[in-house]
Amino acid sequence: MSAAVPAPRRVFGNGTAHSRDQQRCLAAAYDPVTLPRLAAAGAGPGWHCLEIGAGGGGIARWLAERVAPGGGSVLATDIDPRDLVPGPGLEVATLDVARDPLPDAAYDLVVGRLVLQHVPSRDAVLRKLVRALKPGGLLQIDEIDASYEPPLLTPDPAAEELYVRFLAAKTAAMRAAGGDPHWGRRVPAAMRAAGLTGIDVHLAIGVRHAEDPGLGLQLNHTRNLRGRLVAQGMTEEELDRVGELMCDPSFRAASSVFYSVQGRRPDREGGR
């Protein structure tokens, strides 16, 4: 019998200064899309919700404030939940969504942001999340497509080339760990293939600059992913220089495309 193949080590961990800075940047960059989408879908009193890959817990806390007054609940899960804090209507659990089971037909809402791109078995996990929904329940998956992030204004051609190399090294590091940083564009079709109906797609793209939390996230990655980026051919000095470039007030780049995709599990009568 052959030995089991170990799972790839997670690209991002929790419980460090770098991870908490990343959580702050993620919330600032993407909460303005994620949270209004959940609100518009009706997330409110009495809903029972599951969040996978909850990280610092900002989405879960926001949901708990909305659903708990009507007897609802939120289960915030992460493979490493050390940064998650339970509260009224909010429970916390350790969950490896790729390996651990979920109850069937248990939740009115399941949400995952920037999680499944890191999971090699993402299509199987997506089907698991659909089964965890009650009939008529809502799945919201928010992901990026990092294939289009060109620099727009740099001090000189060498700086432009350096930023492009940094993006390529980051993509290679993600793929080496089993991720797909371009998966965002495939989420709508994957959700339909998993049996969801009423697929609703929202796209967001912006301009990165020194005050933009999305660029702050890129800057975080020069530190948070430093070892992985060096393994992909960047040098420590180059990472320092690209970090300085991102702090230049004149620097501009296109953001990745952020996809927020919703779909519903058909009800028992085939409606909704």
Side-chain angles (χ1 to χ4, degrees):
M1 181 182 296
S2 61
V5 177
R9 188 167 62 88
R10 295 180 71 206
V11 174
F12 297 110
N14 291 337
T16 70
H18 292 327
S19 69
R20 292 182 181 118
D21 178 64
Q22 172 168 289
Q23 291 160 7
R24 178 187 60 79
C25 291
L26 281 171
Y30 299 126
D31 280 3
V33 178
T34 298
L35 302 185
R37 292 273 290 162
L38 293 171
W47 281 37
H48 295 284
C49 309
L50 168 69
E51 184 184 5
I52 61 166
I59 296 172
R61 288 191 297 273
W62 181 89
L63 281 170
E65 291 175 358
R66 296 179 69 91
V67 306
S73 64
V74 179
L75 178 60
T77 69
D78 200 285
I79 198 169
D80 178 357
R82 74 180 75 184
D83 292 330
L84 297 172
V85 179
L90 175 58
E91 299 179 33
V92 170
T94 301
L95 178 78
D96 181 344
V97 73
R99 297 169 181 262
D100 297 333
L102 289 172
D104 288 344
Y107 300 104
D108 300 290
L109 168 70
V110 175
V111 59
R113 182 170 72 188
L114 300 175
V115 177
L116 295 187
Q117 65 170 281
H118 299 294
V119 180
S121 57
R122 58 189 65 87
D123 290 326
V125 170
L126 195 58
R127 293 190 294 272
K128 184 193 299 187
L129 298 180
V130 171
R131 292 193 299 271
L133 289 169
K134 297 177 182 179
L138 179 75
L139 177 65
Q140 179 168 315
I141 298 294
D142 290 359
E143 290 284 353
I144 63 169
D145 175 0
S147 63
Y148 181 79
E149 301 178 296
L152 305 174
L153 287 174
T154 62
D156 51 58
E160 178 177 350
E161 189 273 338
L162 178 64
Y163 187 75
V164 169
R165 284 190 55 233
F166 162 73
L167 296 177
K170 195 169 79 158
T171 293
M174 299 292 184
R175 292 198 182 282
D180 181 359
H182 301 170
W183 189 62
R185 73 179 78 171
R186 288 185 275 276
V187 173
M191 288 175 65
R192 185 173 63 184
L196 296 179
T197 61
I199 306 298
D200 180 66
V201 184
H202 176 89
L203 307 183
I205 187 170
V207 176
R208 288 178 172 156
H209 53 82
E211 301 302 318
D212 170 51
L215 191 61
L217 193 60
Q218 295 280 60
L219 182 59
N220 171 281
H221 293 166
T222 67
R223 301 181 293 266
N224 205 359
L225 300 179
R226 203 168 187 88
R228 292 179 182 268
L229 294 171
V230 168
Q232 296 300 327
M234 299 291 290
T235 68
E236 298 272 358
E237 189 268 340
E238 286 172 332
L239 291 171
D240 289 340
R241 282 198 287 120
V242 80
E244 292 169 0
L245 173 64
M246 290 185 227
C247 295
D248 183 336
S250 70
F251 176 78
R252 298 292 186 274
S255 76
S256 55
V257 182
F258 185 72
Y259 288 75
S260 180
V261 189
Q262 295 177 344
R264 290 193 179 273
R265 182 177 182 177
D267 65 26
R268 292 185 180 85
E269 288 73 40
R272 188 159 100 135

